[in-house]
Amino acid sequence: MRANTSPTGLALLLIVVGLLLSFTSIVSAFLTPEPIWRYLIAAGCFVQFLGWVRHGALRRGGAR
């Protein structure tokens, strides 16, 4: 078993991209009244969720 439990590779990329997309969209939603930001917030959260699922599958030895 690996001692390093931090996300790496594609999992880390998905987590960071999702976080940046969500954060940027949240700030933009407060600054402008455009409804598109709500969809981008949801998309960013979904991308981040996929990254955490990928990280969990890699740690459990699941399908890649």
Side-chain angles (χ1 to χ4, degrees):
M1 181 175 238
R2 294 179 358 189
N4 184 5
T5 60
S6 298
T8 58
L10 181 61
L12 180 61
L13 179 69
L14 289 172
I15 292 168
V16 171
V17 168
L19 181 68
L20 291 174
L21 181 62
S22 296
F23 182 74
T24 304
S25 299
I26 289 169
V27 170
S28 298
F30 280 114
L31 296 177
T32 62
E34 297 296 322
I36 189 72
W37 298 120
R38 290 179 283 174
Y39 298 112
L40 291 176
I41 292 168
C45 291
F46 183 69
V47 169
Q48 188 177 17
F49 171 76
L50 290 177
W52 284 113
V53 168
R54 171 116 176 122
H55 172 63
L58 291 175
R59 290 202 56 226
R60 284 191 309 270
R64 294 179 190 215

